[in-house]
Structures are given as C-alpha cells and as structure tokens.
Amino acid sequence: MLFGTIVGSLADKQGRKRACITYCITYILSCITKHSPEYKVLMVGRILGGIATSLLFSAFESWLVAEHNKRGFDQLWLSVTFSKAIFLGNGLVAILSGLFGNLLVDTLSLGPVAPFDAAACFLTIGMAIIMSSWSENYGDPSENKDLFTQFRGAAVAIASDEKIALLGAIQSLFEGSMYTFVFLWTPALSPNGEEIPHGFIFATFMLGSMMGSSVASRLMARTSLRVESYMQIVFVISAASLLLPIITNFLVAPSGVKGGGISFSGSIQLIGFCTFEACVGIFWPSIMKMRSQYIPEEARSTIMNFFRIPLNIFVCVVLYNVDAFPITVMFGMCSIFLFVASLLQRRLTVISEIQKSRSQDWSMIKERDTESEPLND
C-alpha cells in the first residue's frame, strides 16, 4: 500500500515501458532475497515485492491500452486481448508454473527457493523482450507534474466523475473479497484437519478461472451486450457462491472426526468455490475493459494504484482480525461486499446509459444543424 502505490503511480510520468522494466528488476531482487534467512533482508524483499505487484497490476495494462489506441486498433481487439491474458496467464501458465515449481522442489530436490530462482530467470527473459521490442508511452508528458500533483489530479478525477468512483469501489470490494477468500478456502475445506489435495484443488480453481475468462471473451464479443449489464449478474452469483460455507454450516452437521478425506459439506463448498473462481475469470477481463473506457489516459496508472489503497487497507484489517471472528462471519462479510458491488454496478450501468443517450441526442442535434446550414445560407 505504501511503497507500491507511490512507485506504481510514477508510470504515467516516467513512462509505462520503464515501469514494466522496473517491475522485472524489483521482482528479481525480491526473489534473490529469499536466499537469506535474515528477517530484515526478507522484509526488504516484501517491500520490493509490493512495489512489483503494484506495477504488475497497473503499468502493463496502461501501456497496452495506450499502445492499442495509438496504433488505431479496433476496440473489440482489446477485449479479446484481456480475455486471452486471463485465460493463458492467470489460468494455464499459473497451473504450469505450479507443476514446474513442484518439479524443481520435490522431483529434482533443488530446495524450496528453487521456484524463486526460476521466476527470476523468466523475469530476465521478459525484461529483455520489453527492452528490445516495446515502444515507450506516457500519461501526460507535456506537463511537469510532481507526485503530489499527480495524486491530487487523480483524486479530483475520481471525485468529479461518478463513473470512475463507482468503478474504483467495485474493484476494491471484489478484489478485497477475492484476496480474503485466498486465505479462507483452506480452513473452510479442512476444519478438522482433513487431508485435502491442495495442489489439485488449486489447479481446479485455475481451471474454473480459465472457463470464466473464456465465457467473458464470448460475452464481450457480442456488440449488443454491454459489460456493465452482465457484470451485475456475475457479482450476484459470486456473492451466492460464498454463502455456501454458511448454509452448509447450518444444514450439515459438523463432523468431529479428525483427519480423513474431504467431508460432504467440504465437497459442496468446493463446488461453490469453483463457481466463484469462474466469476473471477469473468471479472478480470471485464474490469480491464471498463477501466479502458472510463479512466482518463493521462492519469491511468495513478488512478489504478489509487484504487488499490482501500483494497490493501481492507485486506490488512481482515487478516489482522482473522482469528477474532468465525470463518462463517468472514465469508458472510465477503458475500455482503459482493452484493454491494452488484448494486454499485447497477448504478454505473444506469449512469453510463443516460450519458450514452445524451451523447446520441447531442450528435443528432449537431447533424440536424449541419444539414440546415445550407438552407439558412
């Protein structure tokens, strides 16, 4: 929240390509710190990792959108690119990376730090590709703005445009629930220490996310269907899927037997969790598409990192108090947040439709005035 937000926001001023290279460098250094047993060194690694994560979730998307528009490509292609990025990157490559990491640690017995060394190698390759083939683009290079001015401009843009504010709130609510879910699914499926196949379950989650991104690509390819419309349904479904741990807790008698395989209630919850991951797969390319439409180009990275401030605060507060509340309460809170996100999405849809209607009416008036000018002459 502290370091990543500041460094990530520099991308608009210093250049998105440069920010992506910085991501590679900071994450390589973060991976190197894993070789040290010293807490201070490891903490430096977490700071570097925080900076890299903020750059990962803002600089690359900002560079892509700017480059896409600069080259005059069809806007529909952007939706396809986002969908493929989630399908291949967040899904298929995540599964292959997990298997490769397992190969390095268990099969080849290279130790638990080996996956970080492998990651550093891939980051080096990625950095070489960026440096050799990408062109640079900026947010607003014409004005000499310091960091405080950038943040103030981003805050003004969010406060003055309700669509941007709604988009930021929706993103924070969904991602906050998603990151909380990451810490909750393991104790939810094994409350009595059941021996569950964590790797297989994670791969199943990634498969669900891939299916969701595939569905999103088909939905966004339909010009008659707006992203804002179907995302309301996605948020409601995701809210319902995280209610399953609460429902099974009331309807299915808890087992007091320690160990064993996954329980019946755990199997039901697993179905709900896979459904939620499918919603996550739809969410990512869809929110990217909406950000490309509503966030102004000159402050794209700054505003995107601004959105991550309440998200990081929320996750920190939840994790700090995770032992203070039953797991069902935590899932209930996430479900409420997702339902609120659906309401905000509904509001965003209404506002965008009203503005689109006004824009069409204004275009018709201008066209009519243009046609009447020769007659007036």
Side-chain angles (χ1 to χ4, degrees), residues 24-44:
C24 296
I25 294 172
T26 51
Y27 226 123
I28 289 171
L29 294 175
S30 178
C31 291
I32 293 173
T33 61
K34 300 298 185 291
H35 285 275
S36 173
E38 296 293 329
Y39 178 80
K40 292 180 180 179
V41 176
L42 294 172
M43 180 54 70
V44 171

Side-chain angles (χ1 to χ4, degrees), residues 1-217:
M1 181 185 71
L2 296 176
F3 298 96
T5 302
I6 295 173
V7 176
S9 300
L10 291 173
D12 290 322
K13 181 177 174 60
Q14 303 297 330
R16 279 75 178 267
K17 174 185 176 180
R18 194 171 298 167
C20 294
I21 294 173
T22 304
Y23 157 78
C24 296
I25 294 172
T26 51
Y27 226 123
I28 289 171
L29 294 175
S30 178
C31 291
I32 293 173
T33 61
K34 300 298 185 291
H35 285 275
S36 173
E38 296 293 329
Y39 178 80
K40 292 180 180 179
V41 176
L42 294 172
M43 180 54 70
V44 171
R46 291 312 311 139
I47 294 173
L48 292 169
I51 293 171
T53 301
S54 289
L55 291 170
L56 175 65
F57 281 98
S58 59
F60 286 87
E61 183 180 331
S62 298
W63 180 90
L64 172 65
V65 174
E67 195 70 16
H68 187 96
N69 294 331
K70 185 171 71 176
R71 300 190 183 196
F73 292 154
D74 191 329
Q75 284 299 309
L76 184 61
W77 296 358
L78 203 57
S79 304
V80 175
T81 303
F82 288 148
S83 300
K84 287 184 176 180
I86 302 304
F87 183 87
L88 297 174
N90 287 26
L92 183 61
V93 173
I95 295 173
L96 294 177
S97 298
L99 295 174
F100 183 57
N102 190 71
L103 174 70
L104 295 175
V105 175
D106 292 339
T107 307
L108 300 180
S109 301
L110 296 178
V113 185
F116 293 96
D117 296 333
C121 294
F122 285 112
L123 287 163
T124 304
I125 296 171
M127 183 170 62
I129 294 172
I130 293 171
M131 295 176 67
S132 61
S133 61
W134 287 25
S135 60
E136 186 62 278
N137 61 56
Y138 301 84
D140 189 3
S142 60
E143 299 182 23
N144 187 21
K145 295 180 179 178
D146 56 26
L147 191 60
F148 177 76
T149 306
Q150 282 183 253
F151 273 107
R152 186 173 61 185
V156 169
I158 295 171
S160 59
D161 191 337
E162 188 178 355
K163 298 193 300 298
I164 300 178
L166 287 170
L167 193 64
I170 290 168
Q171 177 180 321
S172 295
L173 288 168
F174 188 90
E175 290 191 35
S177 302
M178 180 183 68
Y179 290 129
T180 304
F181 165 77
V182 169
F183 291 95
L184 295 181
W185 72 263
T186 301
L189 296 180
S190 56
N192 297 311
E194 289 89 346
E195 296 179 3
I196 60 174
H198 295 87
F200 178 76
I201 292 174
F202 177 76
T204 306
F205 287 165
M206 293 301 98
L207 182 61
S209 180
M210 290 171 65
M211 293 175 62
S213 64
S214 180
V215 170
S217 65

Side-chain angles (χ1 to χ4, degrees), residues 332-373:
M333 179 185 63
C334 292
S335 184
I336 291 172
F337 286 162
L338 292 169
F339 182 72
V340 172
S342 71
L343 298 178
L344 297 180
Q345 184 68 61
R346 173 61 183 169
R347 173 63 180 168
L348 178 60
T349 304
V350 171
I351 294 174
S352 61
E353 288 177 350
I354 291 174
Q355 292 188 352
K356 182 180 179 181
S357 177
R358 288 177 178 174
S359 177
Q360 290 174 345
D361 292 342
W362 178 247
S363 299
M364 291 174 63
I365 292 172
K366 289 183 65 177
E367 184 178 348
R368 186 183 62 192
D369 291 344
T370 303
E371 292 175 351
S372 63
E373 283 179 1

